[in-house]
């Protein structure tokens, strides 16, 4: 083979990071994953372990006390955690989602105020775009912020907000110019949990990621000081969508982590389990399933890592790659986790193994940060030069 052909592999510092996160995931997160799921409780053990190692919000720039992890490093962290506990992987993922609007467009004083506590692990950061009647169609949101002197007065509600109640800080999108052009009449704000008039409803009862509370946020004339706005008035939706271009890749990383965890368990099981006088791994029908699972997973991983490199460089085709990575990796994770349950037969359907949890957890990766139908809309728009 010619020496000048490119050979794509992780750099040493990314490999070292993977080893370090893998060890924490195995020793300090995996032992609690089943209990977190069974009791729908926030994974405090994981949170403490991730804060102690700086992996809870590693994307925060060093200037604000963070690790300054690049996009690929953040994906590796999320992937390795998701391999053992998808709920716990939402800690770094939602922290990045909630705080990226500030990193991309926040004023220096806003960033100085909110990013250091996030980096220190004294708070988490949530992201509030969706509303009950405005999920895929985000521009039709009803939450309003009206200027009153120097303050903004925020009224409305947000739905399905990850890690709500745990987080002290929320990036919230609201219409600030009801008569303005659709999509250019929305602004982004930081809302604090302690702001008067802000309440959080009881967590939703969900199929999976049960350790990450998902709640409605209610804003009843919440007064926000004028400097809580992120970027310029009217730029909020563009900022929210630009954020998603970057963070969808972290959901893709979560998906391949869940899929890898399921494949690991399936591989171990088929080499132990015997039927018809031999290990089920000796049946070609089983081998072909394993080969397909590993092949698709590796293809998804390569796409996710390339998309992460695009995110780091803010490449012109990031929208396409972010959507493609999220769509392909989540569909792959769903397929692999369903097949992994199948490979364990009846055992896979019980809670004696984590496969049924992984299958339930994988489903959300096809839905949040835009459903996979919406990812196809995003890809097509870039292909057709419409964005
Ligand atoms: C557990 C969980 C956590 C979440 N976390 C957050 C969070 O932290 N912050 C946040 O802001 N939101 C969050 N969400 C919301 C999530 O992003 C939305 O649920 C998602 O974007 C879909 O919106 P919807 O539920 O209103 O579905 P709808 O928009 O009502 O879609 C219903 C169906 O119609 C399809 N559809 C809609 N429009 C089109 C179209 N143009 N073409 C083809 N098909 C279409 C969809 O793909 C879907 O299959 C979370 C949701 C869940 C369940």
């Amino acid at each position: 083979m010619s020496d000048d052909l490119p050979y794509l592999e992780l750099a040493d510092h990314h490999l070292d990071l993977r080893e370090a996160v893998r060890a924490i995931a195995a020793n300090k997160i995996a032992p609690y994953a089943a209990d977190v799921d069974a009791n729908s409780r926030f994974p405090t053990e994981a949170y403490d372990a991730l804060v102690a190692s700086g992996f809870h919000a590693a994307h925060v720039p060093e200037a604000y006390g963070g690790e300054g992890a690049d996009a690929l490093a953040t994906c590796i962290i999320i992937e390795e955690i998701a391999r053992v506990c998808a709920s716990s992987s939402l800690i770094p993922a939602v922290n990045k989602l909630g705080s990226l609007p500030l990193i991309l467009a926040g004023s220096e004083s806003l960033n100085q105020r909110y990013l250091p506590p996030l980096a220190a692990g004294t708070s988490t950061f949530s992201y509030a775009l969706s509303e009950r009647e405005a999920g895929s169609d985000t521009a039709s949101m009803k939450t309003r912020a009206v200027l009153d002197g120097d303050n903004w007065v925020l009224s409305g509600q947000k739905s399905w907000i990850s890690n709500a109640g745990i987080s002290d800080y929320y990036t919230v999108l609201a219409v600030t110019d009801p008569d303005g052009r659709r999509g250019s009449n929305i602004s982004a704000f930081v809302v604090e949990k302690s702001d008067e008039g802000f309440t959080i409803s009881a967590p939703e009862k969900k199929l999976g990621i049960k350790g990450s509370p998902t709640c409605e946020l209610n804003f009843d004339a919440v007064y926000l000081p004028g400097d809580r706005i992120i970027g310029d008035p009217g730029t909020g939706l563009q900022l929210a969508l630009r954020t998603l271009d970057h963070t969808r890749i972290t959901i893709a990383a979560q998906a391949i982590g869940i899929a890898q965890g399921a494949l690991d368990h399936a591989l171990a099981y088929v080499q132990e389990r015997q039927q018809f006088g031999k290990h089920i791994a000796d049946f070609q029908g089983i081998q072909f399933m394993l080969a397909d699972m590993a092949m698709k997973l590796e293809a998804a991983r390569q796409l996710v890592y390339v998309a992460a490199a695009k995110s780091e460089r803010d490449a012109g085709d990031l929208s396409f790659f972010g959507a493609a990575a999220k769509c392909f990796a989540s569909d792959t994770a769903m397929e692999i986790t369903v097949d992994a349950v199948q490979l364990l037969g009846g055992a896979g359907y019980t809670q004696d193994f984590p496969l049924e949890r992984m299958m339930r957890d994988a489903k959300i990766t096809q839905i949040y940060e835009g459903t996979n139908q919406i990812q196809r809309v995003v890809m097509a728009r870039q292909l057709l030069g419409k964005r």
Side-chain angles (χ1 to χ4, degrees):
M1 254 227 265
S2 164
D3 281 346
D4 57 8
L5 284 176
Y7 178 54
L8 302 173
E9 62 176 10
L10 292 181
D12 284 347
H13 65 279
H14 284 131
L15 289 171
D16 292 345
L17 171 73
R18 188 168 71 183
E19 286 312 304
V21 185
R22 193 169 285 180
I24 289 169
N27 299 324
K28 305 217 164 131
I29 299 177
Y32 306 99
D35 185 66
V36 162
D37 176 65
N39 294 300
S40 298
R41 67 172 182 85
F42 185 71
T44 45
E45 300 88 350
Y47 189 72
D48 292 346
L50 293 173
V51 170
S53 53
F55 295 147
H56 64 295
H59 69 285
V60 176
E62 288 173 2
Y64 304 106
E67 303 289 326
D70 60 45
L72 178 55
T74 306
C75 282
I76 290 170
I77 291 169
I78 292 166
E79 177 186 350
E80 288 302 322
I81 302 169
R83 191 172 173 174
V84 302
C85 178
S87 289
S88 298
S89 71
L90 278 158
I91 294 168
V94 176
N95 272 340
K96 180 163 181 179
L97 175 64
S99 63
L100 195 61
L102 282 89
I103 294 169
L104 291 174
S107 67
E108 187 54 24
S109 63
L110 208 60
N111 290 356
Q112 286 292 355
R113 178 162 176 195
Y114 292 109
L115 295 180
L118 175 66
T122 52
S123 177
T124 62
F125 226 117
S126 290
Y127 173 90
L129 174 64
S130 305
E131 298 180 3
R132 192 62 68 185
E133 302 303 329
S136 301
D137 182 12
T138 51
S140 69
M141 69 176 63
K142 297 275 181 293
T143 297
R144 296 269 185 275
V146 178
L147 259 184
D148 179 8
D150 290 339
N151 297 317
W152 292 95
V153 186
L154 182 69
S155 303
Q157 61 84 222
K158 293 285 170 183
S159 296
W160 308 292
I161 305 309
S162 295
N163 290 353
I166 301 292
S167 292
D168 287 323
Y169 307 140
Y170 298 78
T171 290
V172 177
L173 281 299
V175 173
T176 46
D177 180 9
D179 300 323
R181 196 160 61 88
R182 182 182 144 93
S184 299
N185 60 347
I186 290 169
S187 307
F189 300 90
V190 177
V191 179
E192 298 188 14
K193 191 179 178 181
S194 56
D195 286 331
E196 212 176 316
F198 176 26
T199 54
I200 299 169
S201 301
E204 306 282 352
K205 292 183 169 56
K206 309 195 296 287
L207 177 71
I209 55 159
K210 294 188 178 206
S212 167
T214 312
C215 309
E216 284 205 345
L217 313 182
N218 312 295
F219 309 105
D220 183 9
V222 180
Y223 269 76
L224 303 174
D227 64 1
R228 293 270 200 95
I229 195 165
I230 309 171
D232 294 326
T235 61
L237 192 62
Q238 290 90 320
L239 178 60
L241 299 183
R242 198 171 148 220
T243 297
L244 293 175
D245 281 344
H246 291 277
T247 58
R248 279 180 180 139
I249 303 159
T250 68
I251 301 306
Q254 181 184 46
I256 58 173
I258 297 170
Q260 185 66 58
L263 180 58
D264 293 345
H265 281 282
L267 279 170
Y269 187 86
V270 297
Q271 293 175 83
E272 284 289 322
R273 175 74 170 168
Q274 295 201 9
Q275 290 292 282
F276 301 98
K278 50 179 166 177
H279 291 117
I280 59 171
D282 292 335
F283 296 119
Q284 197 178 50
I286 298 282
Q287 292 172 1
F288 280 13
M289 279 180 76
L290 292 168
D292 280 346
M293 290 159 79
M295 172 180 70
K296 289 173 187 169
L297 176 53
E298 199 50 48
R301 179 175 287 118
Q302 297 301 328
L303 181 54
V304 174
Y305 288 2
V306 169
K310 301 263 185 195
S311 165
E312 189 60 28
R313 282 187 245 122
D314 209 7
D317 50 3
L318 172 62
S319 288
F320 175 86
F321 272 85
K326 194 269 195 190
C327 190
F328 189 72
S330 60
D331 283 351
T332 300
M334 199 64 243
E335 209 180 313
I336 289 176
T337 53
V338 168
D339 282 352
V341 168
Q342 188 70 17
L343 284 172
L344 269 73
Y349 201 71
T350 71
Q351 294 180 358
D352 294 342
F353 291 85
L355 282 308
E356 58 85 32
R357 165 168 56 85
M358 291 169 168
M359 188 182 93
R360 287 184 285 107
D361 287 344
K363 184 63 201 168
I364 191 59
T365 63
Q366 295 180 303
I367 296 174
Y368 58 14
E369 299 210 18
T371 64
N372 280 2
Q373 285 93 334
I374 295 303
Q375 305 310 315
R376 289 176 168 94
V377 171
V378 172
M379 284 185 266
R381 263 188 206 148
Q382 183 143 45
L383 285 173
L384 298 169
K386 288 191 175 175
R387 191 173 168 193

